[in-house]
Amino acid sequence: MTLAASRPLLARWPGLADTLPWTDIGALPTPVEDVTAAAQIGPVGSLTFKRDDLTAASYGGNKIRKLELLLPDAVARGCNAIVTFGGLGSNHALATAIYAREFALRCGVVLTPEPITPAVRRTLQRHLCVGTELMLAADYAKLGEVAKTLTDRLGGAKACTEVPFGGSNWLGTVGFVNAALELAEQIAAGVLPEPDVIYAGCGTAGTVAGLALGLELAGLKCRVEGVQVTPDSMRPAQLAQELYAQTWAELRQRAPDLPAVSQAPARLRVRNDQLGAGYAQPTPAAIAAQQGIEAATGIPFSLTYTAKALAALRADAQAGLLANKNVVFWNTYNSQVWPEGAPPPTARLPDDIAALLN
């Protein structure tokens, strides 16, 4: 199967294949699963999971869709390293490190503190296994300084390309424009009913901005509920607006025959009612949602992202807001089992990161 055959954005506008650096690393399209009966989440017409936890064999989750563009872009720029950002347990940072090796790119990550959990410890252990260059920024004010030091270590600005938190720039967002068109094809094929609403976690907003734009291009009328998991200081709602507009402008420049869309994601709402005490801070509602759905379906959820998004869906259903509605939950977490393995004997965490684990 050609790349265009499995990436509907390229199939609909073939000229984009000549202007977008896209390499197939994901097992797309991802399946959809009807969990209406199993989930017992409250009154809904139907509940379908979009299984982006299965985007790729080595490591899944929503970041794979972005990395299909971001990593080959780094190669096209003549770089041999990539620098990105994330919390200590960031799935984006780990996915970037894992797949960068397939492009012969070294990977450096600037990490920021978050609560230490078993999942965070496993993530850091996996970084040691794949050889990620890790540095800690004690707070957000130090990000730039630490990133420059890490970039210099990896060969300097000419050798490195920088990718923001979550892979959320316009190029990464294109991956989720394609995702919405992928969903539209599954709807047209009768795999699931056309949804009234899609729920997804919203951290750095690339996922929900791309979905909103892709739904517009597909002509679907459903709305997107972006459930905020990052603090208000990161301005996720504004980020979503900016990414939507910039991604549209970049695509339209490359494919002038794209249909006109609304100038702002009118059917996207970013809500912070499930944020709780902050990023990576579990809430009782998220814990309850996670435990219930994992027991019912066997699908794992993250208390940082997907469980909070599921808690929003559950709250809306129990409030009667989703009765007779077709609902899609976009599962952005990785559910692939990590292979067994130990880091090389010489691999060790930087002292300041190791100190946080004690």
Side-chain angles (χ1 to χ4, degrees):
M1 181 182 291
T2 65
L3 181 62
S6 59
R7 304 300 185 273
L9 182 65
L10 300 182
R12 291 198 187 193
W13 294 281
L16 289 173
D18 298 325
T19 59
L20 292 175
W22 209 321
T23 299
D24 181 356
I25 62 174
L28 303 180
T30 55
V32 295
E33 182 175 345
D34 185 342
V35 298
T36 311
Q40 298 182 351
I41 207 160
V44 297
S46 67
L47 176 58
T48 303
F49 279 5
K50 179 64 167 158
R51 296 292 306 273
D52 265 22
D53 53 307
L54 302 174
T55 47
S58 298
Y59 190 86
N62 66 324
K63 306 307 180 186
I64 306 308
R65 294 186 183 272
K66 300 177 179 183
L67 293 172
E68 286 198 329
L69 293 118
L70 295 170
L71 292 174
D73 179 63
V75 174
R77 291 171 181 270
C79 297
N80 56 33
I82 190 164
V83 171
T84 193
F85 305 82
L88 289 170
S90 168
N91 291 307
H92 159 70
L94 181 54
T96 303
I98 289 170
Y99 290 102
R101 298 192 303 172
E102 297 187 10
F103 293 82
L105 292 167
R106 297 174 66 191
C107 181
V109 178
V110 180
L111 295 174
T112 56
E114 67 175 84
I116 304 302
T117 65
V120 167
R121 293 179 185 275
R122 290 194 300 270
T123 297
L124 292 172
Q125 183 78 355
R126 189 73 183 274
H127 275 301
L128 292 179
C129 290
V130 299
T132 316
E133 293 275 353
L134 301 173
M135 291 190 70
L136 180 70
D139 55 55
Y140 285 96
K142 295 183 172 61
L143 284 174
E145 174 188 341
V146 176
K148 183 181 184 308
T149 301
L150 184 54
T151 297
D152 290 344
R153 180 187 296 177
L154 292 172
K158 290 185 178 180
C160 297
T161 190
E162 187 174 294
V163 170
F165 280 92
S168 289
N169 55 19
W170 78 265
L171 187 59
T173 299
V174 168
F176 270 89
V177 177
N178 181 74
L181 295 169
E182 175 184 301
L183 184 71
E185 288 192 344
Q186 292 174 316
I187 293 166
V191 179
L192 74 159
E194 182 169 344
D196 298 290
V197 57
I198 297 173
Y199 285 78
C202 176
T204 53
T207 295
V208 296
L211 286 177
L213 179 53
L215 293 170
E216 287 270 0
L217 293 174
L220 296 177
K221 303 302 183 184
C222 62
R223 59 188 172 86
V224 178
E225 291 284 307
V227 183
Q228 182 178 329
V229 302
T230 48
D232 291 336
S233 60
M234 290 193 68
R235 306 172 294 112
Q238 183 177 335
L239 280 175
Q241 296 272 345
E242 293 170 353
L243 284 168
Y244 176 98
Q246 186 180 8
T247 304
W248 161 246
E250 293 284 353
L251 287 176
R252 189 65 181 272
Q253 181 180 0
R254 290 162 174 78
D257 58 330
L258 259 71
V261 300
S262 60
Q263 295 304 298
R267 293 196 303 276
L268 167 63
R269 178 173 71 144
V270 177
R271 53 193 281 185
N272 69 355
D273 58 312
Q274 301 297 325
L275 179 59
Y279 179 75
Q281 300 279 356
T283 64
I287 293 169
Q290 178 200 42
Q291 292 175 344
I293 205 68
E294 286 189 2
T297 67
I299 300 170
F301 278 72
S302 157
L303 286 171
T304 299
Y305 274 83
T306 48
K308 288 186 176 181
L310 189 66
L313 192 166
R314 188 168 180 251
D316 288 355
Q318 293 178 353
L321 301 178
L322 301 177
N324 302 315
K325 302 290 187 184
N326 295 321
V327 180
V328 167
F329 180 84
W330 209 287
N331 189 17
T332 57
Y333 189 47
N334 164 59
S335 67
Q336 302 289 28
V337 177
W338 293 356
E340 296 294 331
T346 56
R348 59 191 299 270
L349 292 170
D351 292 343
D352 51 359
I353 296 176
L356 297 175
L357 306 184
N358 296 331

